[in-house]
Amino acid sequence: MYLMTNIGRLTSISNLKKTFDVSQDKIENYASALLETYLVHRVPKFSWSLKRSLRERFKIYAVDTGLRNRVAFSFSEDSGWLVENVVLNHLQRQFEEIYFESTSGEIDFVVKEGVGLTQRIQVWYADPADTDIPERELRCWTGSKTSHEEARPSRTDRIRNILITNDLEKELALGETKVECLPVILFLLGK
């Protein structure tokens, strides 16, 4: 119930251990059981180091948002988190390696195919009348270079940058970075 309530938020085994005041073994066993039953997805933080990626905090998402809504303890609609969850479920049907990144502002999803990154996806879902994208949503592309750009500069020109929105469709130029703004429905349809 706790994990379903907090979809898309950062957590770790040690955070869960402190929250519930139980042993690390018990938390690891419960988390492993949830992952093996396919009730939740674990999205690790991206790193070129597998060891670092496994040790870092992670995000949990529900396999089914209807099930999540049924068991979650919530006092709001959580529409932004739910759309982020829907986007992840869509990506999981297409790609094997999906991460998040938080080097210079969080990027909700980073897709790795083969030896390179192919997509960076940020989800911003707010009031449809709101057409001004908040700075916090653009920071991931306007901040300093991220770890994958510093480590693999020759591959960054092939990365598709996508900002998923309610209904805003346009292309943004943020310095040297081009970002496609796509309505969530067009993204899900495969544009």
Side-chain angles (χ1 to χ4, degrees):
M1 187 167 133
Y2 178 82
L3 292 176
M4 290 289 205
T5 301
N6 292 291
I7 58 170
R9 293 166 180 94
L10 288 173
T11 193
S12 68
I13 296 297
S14 60
N15 283 352
L16 294 171
K17 178 183 157 194
K18 290 175 193 171
T19 300
F20 296 106
D21 196 29
V22 295
S23 72
Q24 183 157 334
D25 287 345
K26 189 171 272 192
I27 290 294
E28 287 174 353
N29 288 338
Y30 284 150
S32 178
L34 283 171
L35 291 168
E36 288 174 16
T37 60
Y38 297 103
L39 288 174
V40 294
H41 298 292
R42 178 186 182 275
V43 177
K45 182 177 178 183
F46 177 78
S47 174
W48 290 109
S49 163
L50 178 61
K51 182 178 175 181
R52 187 174 298 137
S53 183
L54 291 172
R55 285 186 169 176
E56 292 283 342
R57 296 183 338 166
F58 53 89
K59 292 181 175 186
I60 293 288
Y61 291 92
V63 171
D64 183 283
T65 55
L67 175 63
R68 182 266 177 198
N69 287 342
R70 180 70 178 110
V71 301
F73 184 76
S74 183
F75 293 101
S76 67
E77 292 180 12
D78 293 336
S79 57
W81 296 111
L82 290 170
V83 170
E84 192 173 314
N85 201 133
V86 167
V87 168
L88 173 73
N89 289 343
H90 178 74
L91 290 170
Q92 293 242 299
R93 287 190 287 277
Q94 298 175 7
F95 306 104
E96 288 184 30
E97 294 186 71
I98 302 165
Y99 303 87
F100 77 93
E101 187 174 61
S102 65
T103 305
S104 66
E106 184 178 297
I107 296 176
D108 292 325
F109 304 111
V110 178
V111 176
K112 180 178 175 281
E113 293 181 87
V115 296
L117 301 180
T118 58
Q119 295 183 53
R120 296 187 302 178
I121 300 165
Q122 182 69 9
V123 179
W124 172 59
Y125 197 82
D127 184 336
D130 211 353
T131 58
D132 292 332
I133 303 166
E135 172 58 33
R136 71 177 185 278
E137 301 296 340
L138 300 174
R139 193 174 303 131
C140 57
W141 290 297
T142 60
S144 61
K145 287 195 175 219
T146 58
S147 60
H148 64 269
E149 290 173 327
E150 291 166 0
R152 311 275 170 119
S154 62
R155 298 179 194 264
T156 59
D157 59 334
R158 293 185 233 154
I159 297 175
R160 183 177 179 200
N161 297 304
I162 305 168
L163 176 64
I164 297 175
T165 66
N166 292 28
D167 61 359
L168 191 62
E169 184 177 8
K170 64 181 180 179
E171 188 169 296
L172 299 173
L174 303 171
E176 296 178 21
T177 305
K178 288 188 181 1
V179 178
E180 299 171 58
C181 293
L182 283 177
V184 67
I185 192 68
L186 290 181
F187 177 79
L188 296 176
L189 291 173
K191 181 174 182 208

